[in-house]
Amino acid sequence: MKCDEYDVVIVGSGIAGSVMAKTLTRAGKKVLLLEAGLQAGIAMDKEGAYQNYQFYLDTYYKAAAKVPNSPYPNLPDAPSPDVLDIAPIPNSCSPSTKGYLVQAGPIPFASDCYRGPGGTTLHWLGSTPRMLPNDFQMQTKYGVAVDWPFTYYDLMPYYEMAENEIGIAGDVKEQIGPDVEPVKNYGKDYVFPMQKIPQSYLDQTIIEITNGKTVTVELNKKEYTISYVATPQGRNSIPEPAYKYAGVAWNKKTQKLELEKTDAEYDPVGSLWDPYTGQRCEGNSSCVPICPVQAKYNALKTLRTADHDNLDIITQAVASQVLYDKGSMDITGIEYKKYRYGNSPIYEKGIAKGKIYVLAASAIENAKLLLASGIANSSDQVGRNLMDHMVMLTWGLLPKKGFPYRGPGSTTNIPTFRDGDFRKEHAAWISPIDNWGWAWPTFAPGSDVSNAVGQGMFGKQLRDHLSDIIPRQLLLHFECEQLPEPGNRVTIDPRYKDQLGNYRPVIHYNASEYMQRSFEAAKKVSDQLYKAYNVQDFTSYSAQNPDHVQYKGKVYNFAGAGHIVGTHRMGSDSNSSVVNPDQRTWDHGNLYLVGCGNMPTLGTSNPTLTMTALTYKAAEAILKQLEN
Amino acid sequence: MSKFFQKNNPKRQRFVPEDKPDKSLLKGRAMADTAPPDPEEIKKRLLENLQQAIKLEHSTIPPYLCALYSIKDGTNEFAVNTIRSIVVEEMLHMVMAANILNAIGGKPAINTKDFIPGYPTKLPMIDESFIVNLEKFSKASVDIFLQIEKSAEHPEHDGDDYHSIGEFYMAVRRDLIKLNELTNGEIFKGERQPQVTSEQYYGSGGKLIAVYKLEDALEAIDEIVGQGEGIDNTIDDPDQEMFGEDIEYAHYFRFNEIYHGQKYKPTDSVHDDPSGPPVNVDWDAVYNMQLNPKMSDLPEGSPVWQKMYDFNKTYMALLNNIHDACNGQPSLLITGVGLMYDLKYKAIELMKTPFGEEGLMAGPSFEYVQ
Amino acid sequence: MNTNNHATFLTISAYLTGFSETDLLGTGMVDPYYAAIRDNNDPEVLGYFYQEAATILADSHGDEAEINEAIAARLIPDSCYNGIAKTIILLWYTGNYGNDVLSTDSYKEALVWNVAGAHPPGAKQPGYGSWALPPFSV
Ligand SMILES: Cc1cc2nc3c(=O)[nH]c(=O)nc-3n(C[C@H](O)[C@H](O)[C@H](O)COP(=O)(O)OP(=O)(O)OC[C@H]3O[C@@H](n4cnc5c(N)ncnc54)[C@H](O)[C@@H]3O)c2cc1C
Ligand code: SF4
């Protein structure tokens, strides 16, 4: 295509950028997409996509530590935050600078993301529960944090669009828990595109372990009944015959995005290189960091179905500054550095021009770009309110074999503490049952082998020992909702720049007492669950782990969930928020921000589904703006 | 937007002419024009022939799997993808043949001893001009695959057997039409429950057609024949592009690309060999599997014998699974997929296990055990 | 290739891992592991290791208990042969030599997944819905 001025310039090809590009190009708008990662990663032809992905896969096989970013190139010209870089922070004057993120502490931010074509969905897990209605009203209901500028019900049509695009497998009827009822939360007769992903044998083992007796736990003198929900997720399963939506389209007449109906059965979207590969989740059990058959959704699937006649993509182009007119405050261009190879400091500068600009570079990067450009910050909220789910893990051995290390990362969650009056005092949490044994906290099963061999075991004894303990491993997550706090934030500092001279994000991060109380509460619940399940607890926390807190004399460790949220919050007035309900910046009439950075609060859901719903809302607003 | 590969290419099926000229139908034993149209007799013949069809479709699967699994991991990507998708389609054909049989009140028998051919073998119902082996991926074995999928080019002939799979199915097709006519459509029971439906099928081209009436049955047959031979010699439309990235074409042509190490280009004629870009075929990156291995080659109970036995037990479990799925419990096929994978990993283990003579490896024997 | 040492490697590997020789052969990893051990150890120490292993195997005439006892006493202790016996076990079970993944194949053939009733993450996928059932091997 190649034109001088596009309708819209988008930065980033993650799910936010790709959904935006697809929706706009299909509505006939000319779009330019800037992507920081390597050209090879964006290949859409069969051969190129296949070769590139095999390269990722091979890198993964050979990686010693199979962390989320292990399959993907980490480039000095566009570095990715990496969990392997998490290190103790001696004090706030000497931040940890080991990785891309400059961690000023007091505790290190524990999540990563991927800066490359397709973004972080390449290594996301794909769990996609919706948020709860009460999550949108934390101030009104519980007197903490802020309310969203609209309600859950306002977002419902956009949730349906997001569920269509990602391709959710799940059973609406089974969605229950505090503040969730199928009809109330999903509408009558609503179904997901695909039937639910079967719950794992491990899940079933736990659900049935009390022989039909319901499990109750006590917290602050209140009794709670434990329930189990099959988690909706973005990976392919059997098409749901009753699902009748084809895709999202712009209706010029009504000036709205709409889900188009169809009589055809939903067709699971296979891999980039072969439509017949990945039509079902095949149980590779490696969704994080890479699904070998692409049965799991990733953003490249969306980008591929954009209207490429209306789309230009420039890769190896790192957006470094957003330019604006000091008079009108309109954005006039995005300056980017196009590097030659991922590790050479040689680059050429370019300026991308459009009528409207969209930053979709993920929460930390969006905030950093705004700060580096000195824009959109009249509220002083840019970079603030950085949130994540702080994941407290507990692990033990089941009395019988549940055979973990099989299937998607998690197929069932315990929703019991997702909502309740306790949110006035401490964080709510969701508890996914992890299908991958103790891999996360202990590097099992490799560590089980080395421990046993270290003790002198060999031969049949070793084999029997391992086949006794590994299949009995249980890991529970307590993913605690962090609230927005102004001090948890992204800043920039001229002392810290990357090889291309772009700012590195400086992160200030801590766990407030609200969070610490939730760790204490969650541990109490975990203890009672393990007792009810007859599980031998092997959880151990250590102050050596950089991500620890000490509360009432006890140490707790937490991990990051990868849910990087809140750095450019949305709100109903320009004094206290960065974007309006359409996700347009209050300060600049032609600048939109998309991604989890907009979310005023996090809830207990994995954020990407909600963020994608918001992105459709933003796309609708952009189309309206372009046509008027 | 249409730049990308389209699934379920309808053109492929269109290659099969809708109205076969009578001449080509007047072949083989099903066509004995002199016999009076006795519905009972036609039905008997159909029940028999459809059971044979299931057997026939199955009989190609073990040879294709041996070739596929003998290819070393990470090599021959083109051949692997091609053979894999063809095998999945053969399974589709097998299940669709069972669907037709179920639709007219038959009972597919998939787990009996005589269901499994003893390799080397000729194909059930097809004439004796070639022998099918269980053998590794090689130019010779792909040549046999080409013969299996070859389109009907044979002169009229006498005798009971058919010269090609296509010819056999044409006979079945004609009987179905006739019987439907004679019974006023009553022959099709229209029962939902024994039909395996598209829910249970994925992973390759084509679609799984549930059979409730004649039209479904004919569509299913066209799908089977269309995917295999893909083209009838009577059609030669020079304006029609037969090949290209976006076009799914039939098994014969896909094997031919492997054989020649070259793809078809859009302007190639179906009568010629492919002349498009080369593809990498490494005939040496293959486990040196013993030809037509048998459990009886080894002392009973020896470790490798045991491994072959384990493989065959999984194979039987798979056949039992498909049998049950095609006899009223279609949702069982989901477990069948797991068994398929298990079978694959066991087969590959065998191919890495030395077998007697220096340099030869064991392999899957696909034998009936219990 | 020293065929004696190669044979000793296979047999002693079977005793060290608790898997049969045929099972080990079926992974296709005997040769690469033999080579990795050869290339990463002092030839002299390794020579003594194979000598000792061969002696243990020969002296006990296939009596398993006796072999295990001898392995525990004469191969497993860290003081013996630079810990080669443990390295061999870890190699077979994890596919790692030290902290490094030896190869793509070694990752996929690690025995630990087999004893876990599972499969290496990202390889040898067991198919849709398999995780909802106990492993076939059970
Ligand atoms: C291990 C892990 C598991 C997760 N699991 C789940 C889950 O189960 N469910 C869920 O809902 N969420 C999950 N998440 C979160 C989810 O992955 C993210 O919310 C989501 O992918 C964010 O999408 P995005 O498009 O906003 O940003 P990203 O996907 O991060 O994409 C940003 C894009 O912008 C590009 N970019 C960045 N900087 C620049 C620049 N300066 N110039 C040009 N381009 C740039 C990047 O290359 C990238 O393409 C997980 C995250 C992790 C880390
Ligand atoms: S379980 Fe496997 S096939 Fe399924 S989504 Fe995860 S990695 Fe992909």
Side-chain angles (χ1 to χ4, degrees), chain A residues 66 91 95 97 114 147 174 241 252 258 276 280 284 287 296 300 311 444 515 533 550 580:
Chain A
K66 298 195 162 27
N91 59 63
T97 59
Y114 171 54
D147 288 353
E174 288 186 23
K252 252 179 153 25
E258 284 167 8
Y276 300 121
R280 298 287 187 281
N284 268 294
C287 332
K296 180 190 73 173
L300 294 172
L311 179 65
M515 300 312 296
Y533 299 158
Q550 194 174 15
N580 71 12

PDB file of all heavy atoms in Angstrom, chain A residues 66 91 95 97 114 147 174 241 252 258 276 280 284 287 296 300 311 444 515 533 550 580:
ATOM      1  N   LYS A  66      13.153 -23.215  31.363  1.00  0.00           N
ATOM      2  CA  LYS A  66      12.075 -23.039  30.394  1.00  0.00           C
ATOM      3  C   LYS A  66      11.070 -21.978  30.850  1.00  0.00           C
ATOM      4  O   LYS A  66       9.889 -22.228  31.020  1.00  0.00           O
ATOM      5  CB  LYS A  66      11.439 -24.385  30.117  1.00  0.00           C
ATOM      6  CG  LYS A  66      12.472 -25.347  29.488  1.00  0.00           C
ATOM      7  CD  LYS A  66      11.877 -26.551  28.877  1.00  0.00           C
ATOM      8  CE  LYS A  66      12.791 -27.287  27.900  1.00  0.00           C
ATOM      9  NZ  LYS A  66      14.217 -27.196  28.035  1.00  0.00           N
ATOM     10  N   ASN A  91      19.099  -1.586  47.964  1.00  0.00           N
ATOM     11  CA  ASN A  91      18.311  -0.479  48.492  1.00  0.00           C
ATOM     12  C   ASN A  91      17.886   0.408  47.343  1.00  0.00           C
ATOM     13  O   ASN A  91      18.366   0.269  46.218  1.00  0.00           O
ATOM     14  CB  ASN A  91      19.114   0.311  49.532  1.00  0.00           C
ATOM     15  CG  ASN A  91      20.396   0.852  48.931  1.00  0.00           C
ATOM     16  OD1 ASN A  91      20.360   1.662  48.006  1.00  0.00           O
ATOM     17  ND2 ASN A  91      21.541   0.384  49.423  1.00  0.00           N
ATOM     18  N   PRO A  95      19.281   0.396  42.408  1.00  0.00           N
ATOM     19  CA  PRO A  95      18.315  -0.537  41.846  1.00  0.00           C
ATOM     20  C   PRO A  95      19.006  -1.743  41.211  1.00  0.00           C
ATOM     21  O   PRO A  95      20.202  -1.673  40.884  1.00  0.00           O
ATOM     22  CB  PRO A  95      17.590   0.278  40.783  1.00  0.00           C
ATOM     23  CG  PRO A  95      18.219   1.605  40.730  1.00  0.00           C
ATOM     24  CD  PRO A  95      19.323   1.671  41.715  1.00  0.00           C
ATOM     25  N   THR A  97      19.718  -3.702  38.105  1.00  0.00           N
ATOM     26  CA  THR A  97      19.685  -3.351  36.683  1.00  0.00           C
ATOM     27  C   THR A  97      20.043  -4.548  35.810  1.00  0.00           C
ATOM     28  O   THR A  97      20.454  -4.404  34.674  1.00  0.00           O
ATOM     29  CB  THR A  97      20.682  -2.213  36.381  1.00  0.00           C
ATOM     30  OG1 THR A  97      21.986  -2.668  36.765  1.00  0.00           O
ATOM     31  CG2 THR A  97      20.350  -0.968  37.157  1.00  0.00           C
ATOM     32  N   TYR A 114       6.507 -10.175  26.443  1.00  0.00           N
ATOM     33  CA  TYR A 114       7.365 -10.442  25.297  1.00  0.00           C
ATOM     34  C   TYR A 114       7.242  -9.316  24.273  1.00  0.00           C
ATOM     35  O   TYR A 114       6.144  -9.012  23.817  1.00  0.00           O
ATOM     36  CB  TYR A 114       7.013 -11.782  24.662  1.00  0.00           C
ATOM     37  CG  TYR A 114       7.717 -12.001  23.338  1.00  0.00           C
ATOM     38  CD1 TYR A 114       9.102 -11.896  23.250  1.00  0.00           C
ATOM     39  CD2 TYR A 114       7.008 -12.296  22.178  1.00  0.00           C
ATOM     40  CE1 TYR A 114       9.753 -12.063  22.041  1.00  0.00           C
ATOM     41  CE2 TYR A 114       7.654 -12.469  20.965  1.00  0.00           C
ATOM     42  CZ  TYR A 114       9.021 -12.348  20.902  1.00  0.00           C
ATOM     43  OH  TYR A 114       9.667 -12.505  19.705  1.00  0.00           O
ATOM     44  N   ASP A 147     -13.957   3.083  41.198  1.00  0.00           N
ATOM     45  CA  ASP A 147     -14.941   2.449  40.315  1.00  0.00           C
ATOM     46  C   ASP A 147     -14.495   2.634  38.870  1.00  0.00           C
ATOM     47  O   ASP A 147     -13.776   3.580  38.540  1.00  0.00           O
ATOM     48  CB  ASP A 147     -16.315   3.122  40.476  1.00  0.00           C
ATOM     49  CG  ASP A 147     -16.969   2.768  41.802  1.00  0.00           C
ATOM     50  OD1 ASP A 147     -16.426   1.902  42.528  1.00  0.00           O
ATOM     51  OD2 ASP A 147     -18.024   3.371  42.104  1.00  0.00           O
ATOM     52  N   GLU A 174     -21.666 -23.639  33.551  1.00  0.00           N
ATOM     53  CA  GLU A 174     -20.855 -24.020  34.709  1.00  0.00           C
ATOM     54  C   GLU A 174     -20.189 -22.832  35.386  1.00  0.00           C
ATOM     55  O   GLU A 174     -19.463 -23.004  36.365  1.00  0.00           O
ATOM     56  CB  GLU A 174     -19.778 -25.025  34.286  1.00  0.00           C
ATOM     57  CG  GLU A 174     -20.350 -26.386  33.979  1.00  0.00           C
ATOM     58  CD  GLU A 174     -19.264 -27.409  33.700  1.00  0.00           C
ATOM     59  OE1 GLU A 174     -18.119 -27.209  34.145  1.00  0.00           O
ATOM     60  OE2 GLU A 174     -19.572 -28.394  33.022  1.00  0.00           O
ATOM     61  N   PRO A 241     -22.149 -26.430  18.767  1.00  0.00           N
ATOM     62  CA  PRO A 241     -23.120 -26.310  17.662  1.00  0.00           C
ATOM     63  C   PRO A 241     -24.063 -25.113  17.825  1.00  0.00           C
ATOM     64  O   PRO A 241     -24.503 -24.534  16.838  1.00  0.00           O
ATOM     65  CB  PRO A 241     -23.910 -27.615  17.730  1.00  0.00           C
ATOM     66  CG  PRO A 241     -23.097 -28.550  18.558  1.00  0.00           C
ATOM     67  CD  PRO A 241     -22.228 -27.732  19.453  1.00  0.00           C
ATOM     68  N   LYS A 252     -21.805   0.604   9.411  1.00  0.00           N
ATOM     69  CA  LYS A 252     -21.719   2.038   9.109  1.00  0.00           C
ATOM     70  C   LYS A 252     -22.996   2.768   9.520  1.00  0.00           C
ATOM     71  O   LYS A 252     -22.957   3.905   9.974  1.00  0.00           O
ATOM     72  CB  LYS A 252     -21.533   2.211   7.595  1.00  0.00           C
ATOM     73  CG  LYS A 252     -20.132   2.658   7.191  1.00  0.00           C
ATOM     74  CD  LYS A 252     -20.089   2.754   5.676  1.00  0.00           C
ATOM     75  CE  LYS A 252     -19.107   3.731   5.108  1.00  0.00           C
ATOM     76  NZ  LYS A 252     -17.952   4.153   5.757  1.00  0.00           N
ATOM     77  N   GLU A 258     -20.486  -4.815  15.442  1.00  0.00           N
ATOM     78  CA  GLU A 258     -21.484  -5.848  15.730  1.00  0.00           C
ATOM     79  C   GLU A 258     -20.926  -7.228  15.463  1.00  0.00           C
ATOM     80  O   GLU A 258     -20.069  -7.413  14.600  1.00  0.00           O
ATOM     81  CB  GLU A 258     -22.714  -5.630  14.832  1.00  0.00           C
ATOM     82  CG  GLU A 258     -23.583  -4.486  15.311  1.00  0.00           C
ATOM     83  CD  GLU A 258     -24.613  -4.070  14.266  1.00  0.00           C
ATOM     84  OE1 GLU A 258     -24.747  -4.762  13.240  1.00  0.00           O
ATOM     85  OE2 GLU A 258     -25.270  -3.046  14.503  1.00  0.00           O
ATOM     86  N   TYR A 276      -5.086 -27.089   9.411  1.00  0.00           N
ATOM     87  CA  TYR A 276      -5.530 -28.339  10.027  1.00  0.00           C
ATOM     88  C   TYR A 276      -4.699 -28.716  11.245  1.00  0.00           C
ATOM     89  O   TYR A 276      -4.998 -29.671  11.927  1.00  0.00           O
ATOM     90  CB  TYR A 276      -5.502 -29.473   9.005  1.00  0.00           C
ATOM     91  CG  TYR A 276      -6.391 -29.197   7.825  1.00  0.00           C
ATOM     92  CD1 TYR A 276      -5.876 -29.146   6.531  1.00  0.00           C
ATOM     93  CD2 TYR A 276      -7.753 -28.955   8.004  1.00  0.00           C
ATOM     94  CE1 TYR A 276      -6.696 -28.873   5.455  1.00  0.00           C
ATOM     95  CE2 TYR A 276      -8.578 -28.674   6.927  1.00  0.00           C
ATOM     96  CZ  TYR A 276      -8.042 -28.640   5.655  1.00  0.00           C
ATOM     97  OH  TYR A 276      -8.846 -28.369   4.591  1.00  0.00           O
ATOM     98  N   ARG A 280      -7.480 -28.751  17.563  1.00  0.00           N
ATOM     99  CA  ARG A 280      -7.834 -29.102  18.935  1.00  0.00           C
ATOM    100  C   ARG A 280      -6.575 -28.937  19.780  1.00  0.00           C
ATOM    101  O   ARG A 280      -5.457 -29.151  19.286  1.00  0.00           O
ATOM    102  CB  ARG A 280      -8.265 -30.572  19.064  1.00  0.00           C
ATOM    103  CG  ARG A 280      -9.481 -30.968  18.294  1.00  0.00           C
ATOM    104  CD  ARG A 280     -10.767 -30.424  18.899  1.00  0.00           C
ATOM    105  NE  ARG A 280     -11.926 -30.975  18.209  1.00  0.00           N
ATOM    106  CZ  ARG A 280     -12.390 -30.543  17.025  1.00  0.00           C
ATOM    107  NH1 ARG A 280     -11.797 -29.532  16.418  1.00  0.00           N
ATOM    108  NH2 ARG A 280     -13.434 -31.102  16.454  1.00  0.00           N
ATOM    109  N   ASN A 284      -0.158 -30.726  24.713  1.00  0.00           N
ATOM    110  CA  ASN A 284       1.302 -30.623  24.722  1.00  0.00           C
ATOM    111  C   ASN A 284       1.852 -30.180  26.074  1.00  0.00           C
ATOM    112  O   ASN A 284       3.033 -30.284  26.330  1.00  0.00           O
ATOM    113  CB  ASN A 284       1.772 -29.628  23.661  1.00  0.00           C
ATOM    114  CG  ASN A 284       2.058 -30.303  22.348  1.00  0.00           C
ATOM    115  OD1 ASN A 284       2.984 -31.096  22.261  1.00  0.00           O
ATOM    116  ND2 ASN A 284       1.270 -30.032  21.343  1.00  0.00           N
ATOM    117  N   CYS A 287       1.815 -24.765  27.120  1.00  0.00           N
ATOM    118  CA  CYS A 287       1.145 -23.527  26.653  1.00  0.00           C
ATOM    119  C   CYS A 287       1.977 -22.305  27.028  1.00  0.00           C
ATOM    120  O   CYS A 287       2.132 -21.391  26.223  1.00  0.00           O
ATOM    121  CB  CYS A 287      -0.243 -23.412  27.241  1.00  0.00           C
ATOM    122  SG  CYS A 287      -1.053 -24.958  27.630  1.00  0.00           S
ATOM    123  N   LYS A 296      -3.507 -23.058  20.992  1.00  0.00           N
ATOM    124  CA  LYS A 296      -3.749 -21.929  21.884  1.00  0.00           C
ATOM    125  C   LYS A 296      -3.773 -20.656  21.053  1.00  0.00           C
ATOM    126  O   LYS A 296      -2.965 -20.497  20.140  1.00  0.00           O
ATOM    127  CB  LYS A 296      -2.614 -21.882  22.907  1.00  0.00           C
ATOM    128  CG  LYS A 296      -2.711 -20.761  23.911  1.00  0.00           C
ATOM    129  CD  LYS A 296      -1.415 -20.644  24.715  1.00  0.00           C
ATOM    130  CE  LYS A 296      -0.290 -20.049  23.873  1.00  0.00           C
ATOM    131  NZ  LYS A 296       0.918 -19.760  24.660  1.00  0.00           N
ATOM    132  N   LEU A 300      -1.055 -13.409  16.482  1.00  0.00           N
ATOM    133  CA  LEU A 300      -0.738 -13.475  15.052  1.00  0.00           C
ATOM    134  C   LEU A 300      -1.910 -14.068  14.265  1.00  0.00           C
ATOM    135  O   LEU A 300      -2.081 -13.781  13.083  1.00  0.00           O
ATOM    136  CB  LEU A 300       0.539 -14.294  14.829  1.00  0.00           C
ATOM    137  CG  LEU A 300       1.804 -13.645  15.408  1.00  0.00           C
ATOM    138  CD1 LEU A 300       2.990 -14.602  15.321  1.00  0.00           C
ATOM    139  CD2 LEU A 300       2.132 -12.329  14.695  1.00  0.00           C
ATOM    140  N   LEU A 311      -3.289  -2.724   5.082  1.00  0.00           N
ATOM    141  CA  LEU A 311      -2.366  -2.748   6.221  1.00  0.00           C
ATOM    142  C   LEU A 311      -0.911  -2.756   5.768  1.00  0.00           C
ATOM    143  O   LEU A 311      -0.527  -3.558   4.931  1.00  0.00           O
ATOM    144  CB  LEU A 311      -2.640  -4.014   7.055  1.00  0.00           C
ATOM    145  CG  LEU A 311      -1.750  -4.242   8.279  1.00  0.00           C
ATOM    146  CD1 LEU A 311      -1.974  -3.160   9.324  1.00  0.00           C
ATOM    147  CD2 LEU A 311      -2.024  -5.615   8.901  1.00  0.00           C
ATOM    148  N   ALA A 444      10.443 -28.833  39.513  1.00  0.00           N
ATOM    149  CA  ALA A 444      10.155 -30.252  39.368  1.00  0.00           C
ATOM    150  C   ALA A 444       9.770 -30.508  37.911  1.00  0.00           C
ATOM    151  O   ALA A 444       9.352 -29.580  37.225  1.00  0.00           O
ATOM    152  CB  ALA A 444       8.994 -30.624  40.293  1.00  0.00           C
ATOM    153  N   MET A 515      -2.331  -6.396  50.642  1.00  0.00           N
ATOM    154  CA  MET A 515      -1.865  -7.619  49.976  1.00  0.00           C
ATOM    155  C   MET A 515      -1.332  -8.622  50.988  1.00  0.00           C
ATOM    156  O   MET A 515      -1.601  -9.821  50.898  1.00  0.00           O
ATOM    157  CB  MET A 515      -0.761  -7.294  48.959  1.00  0.00           C
ATOM    158  CG  MET A 515      -1.156  -6.355  47.839  1.00  0.00           C
ATOM    159  SD  MET A 515      -2.720  -6.774  47.037  1.00  0.00           S
ATOM    160  CE  MET A 515      -2.333  -8.371  46.327  1.00  0.00           C
ATOM    161  N   TYR A 533      -8.227 -32.337  51.961  1.00  0.00           N
ATOM    162  CA  TYR A 533      -7.813 -33.220  50.864  1.00  0.00           C
ATOM    163  C   TYR A 533      -6.854 -34.308  51.329  1.00  0.00           C
ATOM    164  O   TYR A 533      -6.460 -35.165  50.543  1.00  0.00           O
ATOM    165  CB  TYR A 533      -7.081 -32.423  49.764  1.00  0.00           C
ATOM    166  CG  TYR A 533      -7.859 -31.335  49.068  1.00  0.00           C
ATOM    167  CD1 TYR A 533      -7.179 -30.299  48.428  1.00  0.00           C
ATOM    168  CD2 TYR A 533      -9.251 -31.347  49.017  1.00  0.00           C
ATOM    169  CE1 TYR A 533      -7.861 -29.291  47.760  1.00  0.00           C
ATOM    170  CE2 TYR A 533      -9.939 -30.333  48.355  1.00  0.00           C
ATOM    171  CZ  TYR A 533      -9.239 -29.308  47.727  1.00  0.00           C
ATOM    172  OH  TYR A 533      -9.902 -28.313  47.075  1.00  0.00           O
ATOM    173  N   GLN A 550       7.349 -10.090  54.685  1.00  0.00           N
ATOM    174  CA  GLN A 550       7.224 -10.662  56.013  1.00  0.00           C
ATOM    175  C   GLN A 550       6.030  -9.993  56.667  1.00  0.00           C
ATOM    176  O   GLN A 550       5.957  -8.766  56.742  1.00  0.00           O
ATOM    177  CB  GLN A 550       8.495 -10.417  56.825  1.00  0.00           C
ATOM    178  CG  GLN A 550       8.529 -11.295  58.063  1.00  0.00           C
ATOM    179  CD  GLN A 550       9.839 -11.175  58.805  1.00  0.00           C
ATOM    180  OE1 GLN A 550      10.617 -10.250  58.572  1.00  0.00           O
ATOM    181  NE2 GLN A 550      10.094 -12.104  59.720  1.00  0.00           N
ATOM    182  N   ASN A 580     -10.151   8.430  28.686  1.00  0.00           N
ATOM    183  CA  ASN A 580     -11.592   8.481  28.947  1.00  0.00           C
ATOM    184  C   ASN A 580     -12.210   7.104  28.670  1.00  0.00           C
ATOM    185  O   ASN A 580     -11.496   6.188  28.275  1.00  0.00           O
ATOM    186  CB  ASN A 580     -12.233   9.616  28.131  1.00  0.00           C
ATOM    187  CG  ASN A 580     -12.278   9.283  26.635  1.00  0.00           C
ATOM    188  OD1 ASN A 580     -12.051   8.150  26.225  1.00  0.00           O
ATOM    189  ND2 ASN A 580     -12.582  10.279  25.822  1.00  0.00           N
TER     190      ASN A 580
END
